[in-house]
Amino acid sequence: MASLLQGRLPASEDLLLMQNGTMMRKVRSRSWKKLRYFRLQEDGMTVWHARTVGGSAKPSFSISDVETVREGHESELLRSLAEEFPLEQGFTVVFHGRRSNLDLVAGSVAEAQVWMAGLQLLVDAVTNMDQQERLDQWLSDWFYRGDKNQDGRMTFQEVQRLLHLMNVEMDPDYALQLFQMADTSQSGTLEGGEFVEFYKALMKRDEVQELFENFSADGQKLTLLEFVDFLREEQKEGERAPDLALELIDRYEPSESGKLRHVLSMDGLLSYLSSKDGDIFNPACLPVYQDMTQPLNHYYISSSHNTYLLGDQFCGQSSVEGYIRALKRGCRCLEVDIWDGPNGEPIVYHGHTLTSRILFKDVVASVAQYAFQTSDYPVILSLENHCSWDQQQTLASHLTEILGDQLLSTTVDGLLPTQLPSPEELRRKILVKGKKLQTLEEDLEEEEEEEELELQLEREGEPELEPEVQSEPEGPELSPRSQDKRKRPKSVLCPSLSALVVYLKSVSFHSFAHSRDHYRFYEISSFSEAKAKSLIKEAGNEFVQHNAWQLSRVYPSGLRTDSSNYNPQELWNAGCQMVAMNVQTAGLEMDICDGLFRQNGGCGYVLKPGFLRDAQSTFYPERPVGPSKAQILRIQVISGQQLPKGAKTKEGTIVDPLVRVEVFGVRPDTARQETNHVENNGFNPYWGETLCFRVQVPELALLRFLVKDYNWKFRDDFVGQYTLPWTCMQQGYRHIHLLSKDGISLHPASIFVHICIEEEPEEAEF
């Protein structure tokens, strides 16, 4: 069965050379650099490597795992080896998720160019596949794995082995019956097209067939009116159902005659249900759909903690890759811990630990390059400044010179604002958050005075006087409010760096009353997770009101040396905007974070509910009363499709899947329920169980669907998950397309559910 990818690609000399194989140096560190023989397999989808030409080979990576390919000069590791290897001979394979990059050095510039161009050609082809093509490629990959002797055909013994790999345990007699039905050539083997028919027989969806027949009068097709009824009654599409029905038939009906007659076949219905239109996530919530003209403090902002780290906080690796990954996943607030470095160059690392060090200017250069590749909305650099006066001046120089026009260095219109600007007003701007010597009002007043002086000097024709050179100050930083302008003590904060902080002046938090009386809307306080949680318990409503006019940043406990995460939901419930996460660490907490920011174009900004934007809000996170009626959610977990094995699933065994549904929101809404497990079937398990939840504040709720491999002896093993906001959930018959722990698609793995949401009925009066 030829790879679908091969049929989609133009004739390419590069791919032929890659299939011949190339000796290249694999680079893991400055000291680990070893020659390996890399070769693109005939399927065009996998690259294998061996120690020598003709040596025992093993898989290195799949093209579907590759995000992009970068040139050598973009790799900090290869740059550090520039004296050993010409950068033009190096390149980096960048993978989806948290997998480490693969740095390679070819024997010549020409060989490097072949691999870079060839890999990018393959990656682009995979990225541009539609739903059917992706499924066909998935089948092609399995055929390639199952065809042990690579003769392009599969015996029944090979098929049995493949079924086990695909998580299917089937009666051998029934498997043989399906095999013989698919073997139309009666050769005793299955070739490409025959294998596809065998797969279709395996994947017969009885539950979808039953659904089809419930709405089809003749059991052969859904007429336009029948499909409209289905969309209106089951999918809750309402008034748009007639127009939508025509669109969906045109999009998903495989038969041209069916399209002309405006009818939908069983295959067409299944194609629709498996598509983005049939997904649980509402397509209307995928682009930027929210109002982006409100003040910054009205939004949740995707935020990263210790952004420079790829591992733990004690001896993990610091890398600009941390910033690149955070920005590409939509983070809009990045943390930078800066310390004095050698040769006058500030460095970034986790202070007083064994984490490696990177140059501040390299961080800024990476931010400049990647800031707006995923989102046009503003990026915030949260500076933790531990530098001396001289190196602070270097910080300011790097920020202004490297970022240029991207850096916001004064108010958006040069005038004194009355509220924070909106994400829309700050498009493609980078803001600095940090300490500031004086108020924004004083800054603007000084700018005005300087402009007037310049105009006066121009009119009088006098040469401008050189400013006096300031010596490095000593002594503690004092609040500008307590300083007399004429007798202000010298400060440890450098004025040129202070001037770059405009809307995000860091101030210490004392109490909510103190903030109301002394702070301005552009001043921001940071809270440890423990402090924030205690404030929510002690004064939750005051915290909500505080966050309605001022920004708050929450960061993980310093005791989380393993870079673990807290659950951000409790902090979002109080309206905290910048809930900083260790994005390098996968798990439940990051699933919740990714789930919230999956909406609104993944732009990193999500508008808070109205009751969290009101400075007189009466909302209490710990004792919530929703602004509307409570809702009842009924989820029928029907079936699963092509579930992968878990990481801990023993070799030779098949998963016993169960589905857990978790609701995260205000405390009374947080709950979880799960189905029973299905034994020995990860290919097409059937549950048919209904789970029920009551939610008081749906505006804050998220749902997480978790598939696990049941294990009665040990902890159930993770198989896949998907998390989304309650407000982005579609009702009706929906597929949930599962993601890995790293948030990468596990296509075609999915679960099929029916979703019904109703308002809680009024209590009957007697």
Side-chain angles (χ1 to χ4, degrees), residues 700-736:
L700 289 173
L702 289 118
L703 264 84
R704 182 174 185 247
F705 294 85
L706 175 65
V707 180
K708 305 189 87 176
D709 180 8
Y710 172 75
N711 188 322
W712 68 274
K713 285 185 180 176
F714 306 105
R715 196 172 169 184
D716 295 345
D717 189 18
F718 175 95
V719 172
Q721 64 83 28
Y722 189 80
T723 310
L724 78 162
W726 180 287
T727 52
C728 297
M729 181 167 48
Q730 294 200 101
Q731 296 192 67
Y733 288 96
R734 302 292 172 184
H735 278 91
I736 298 164

Side-chain angles (χ1 to χ4, degrees), residues 247 330 398 492 581 622 643 683:
E247 278 179 43
H398 287 329
V492 292
M581 305 290 287
E622 292 292 293
L643 304 177
F683 194 73

Side-chain angles (χ1 to χ4, degrees), residues 326-391:
L327 288 166
K328 292 186 91 168
R329 68 186 297 142
C331 277
R332 298 288 88 188
C333 179
L334 313 172
E335 186 179 33
V336 195
D337 282 350
I338 323 157
W339 302 78
D340 281 356
N343 307 315
E345 281 294 343
I347 53 174
V348 174
Y349 78 108
H350 201 256
H352 312 299
T353 67
L354 301 176
T355 59
S356 59
R357 290 135 165 83
I358 51 177
L359 291 174
F360 175 74
K361 64 180 179 182
D362 288 347
V363 169
V364 180
S366 295
V367 171
Q369 182 177 353
Y370 289 94
F372 305 111
Q373 285 194 7
T374 298
S375 167
D376 273 354
Y377 291 109
V379 168
I380 296 163
L381 292 181
S382 180
L383 301 188
E384 298 296 326
N385 170 22
H386 306 279
C387 292
S388 62
W389 177 275
D390 287 345
Q391 295 213 11

Side-chain angles (χ1 to χ4, degrees), residues 433-434 503-508 520-526 550-553 578:
K433 170 190 165 293
Y503 292 115
L504 298 161
K505 177 185 176 183
S506 297
V507 291
S508 299
R520 294 168 168 83
F521 62 86
Y522 57 79
E523 293 173 318
I524 173 173
S525 298
S526 290
Q550 192 178 50
L551 285 163
S552 291
R553 179 178 180 271
M578 300 178 186

Side-chain angles (χ1 to χ4, degrees), residues 180-391:
Q180 290 170 338
M181 285 170 59
D183 180 18
T184 52
S185 64
Q186 297 187 334
S187 63
T189 60
L190 299 184
E191 297 183 28
E194 293 173 330
F195 179 72
V196 172
E197 291 308 310
F198 175 75
Y199 168 79
K200 283 182 179 176
L202 279 180
M203 270 308 294
K204 191 167 181 293
R205 298 283 299 273
D206 291 335
E207 74 278 22
V208 178
Q209 183 70 43
E210 184 182 337
L211 182 61
F212 180 80
E213 290 171 0
N214 285 345
F215 281 84
S216 169
D218 64 2
Q220 301 299 310
K221 64 184 180 303
L222 289 176
T223 66
L224 181 60
L225 288 177
E226 288 169 343
F227 190 37
V228 168
D229 285 345
F230 172 74
L231 292 176
R232 192 176 277 143
E233 292 172 25
E234 294 295 347
Q235 307 300 80
K236 310 298 182 190
E237 295 291 1
E239 295 302 312
R240 66 192 287 257
D243 290 337
L244 182 62
L246 286 167
E247 278 179 43
L248 295 175
I249 288 171
D250 191 53
R251 200 174 296 158
Y252 298 112
E253 173 52 43
S255 154
E256 288 302 321
S257 64
K259 287 179 183 178
L260 288 171
R261 291 184 295 129
H262 302 312
V263 298
L264 196 67
S265 63
M266 167 62 189
D267 284 347
L269 177 66
L270 183 56
S271 185
Y272 152 62
L273 290 173
S274 304
S275 73
K276 281 188 177 178
D277 291 295
D279 193 277
I280 191 170
F281 196 99
N282 189 340
C285 297
L286 286 172
V288 174
Y289 72 98
Q290 295 181 331
D291 177 8
M292 302 304 287
T293 63
Q294 299 200 30
L296 278 184
N297 50 295
H298 285 186
Y299 297 84
Y300 297 120
I301 302 171
S302 179
S303 303
S304 170
H305 177 244
N306 288 348
T307 315
Y308 45 89
L309 287 179
L310 298 182
D312 67 69
Q313 298 178 22
F314 184 68
C315 55
Q317 181 189 354
S318 301
S319 171
V320 296
E321 198 63 41
Y323 291 92
I324 295 169
R325 290 180 184 179
L327 288 166
K328 292 186 91 168
R329 68 186 297 142
C331 277
R332 298 288 88 188
C333 179
L334 313 172
E335 186 179 33
V336 195
D337 282 350
I338 323 157
W339 302 78
D340 281 356
N343 307 315
E345 281 294 343
I347 53 174
V348 174
Y349 78 108
H350 201 256
H352 312 299
T353 67
L354 301 176
T355 59
S356 59
R357 290 135 165 83
I358 51 177
L359 291 174
F360 175 74
K361 64 180 179 182
D362 288 347
V363 169
V364 180
S366 295
V367 171
Q369 182 177 353
Y370 289 94
F372 305 111
Q373 285 194 7
T374 298
S375 167
D376 273 354
Y377 291 109
V379 168
I380 296 163
L381 292 181
S382 180
L383 301 188
E384 298 296 326
N385 170 22
H386 306 279
C387 292
S388 62
W389 177 275
D390 287 345
Q391 295 213 11

Side-chain angles (χ1 to χ4, degrees), residues 142-176:
W142 276 114
F143 187 91
Y144 190 79
R145 286 174 66 180
D147 183 12
K148 207 166 184 183
N149 60 1
Q150 300 294 294
D151 63 352
R153 57 184 67 227
M154 294 183 69
T155 64
F156 182 61
Q157 287 70 31
E158 286 178 318
V159 166
Q160 282 185 302
R161 175 178 165 273
L162 181 60
L163 288 176
H164 221 70
L165 288 173
M166 294 175 86
N167 252 336
V168 186
E169 181 154 296
M170 185 177 288
D171 176 70
D173 292 337
Y174 180 58
L176 181 60

Side-chain angles (χ1 to χ4, degrees), residues 453-467:
L453 179 59
E454 283 174 15
L455 284 171
Q456 185 183 341
L457 290 170
E458 281 176 22
R459 284 196 299 268
E460 295 173 2
E462 292 179 11
E464 192 174 337
L465 296 173
E466 287 289 322

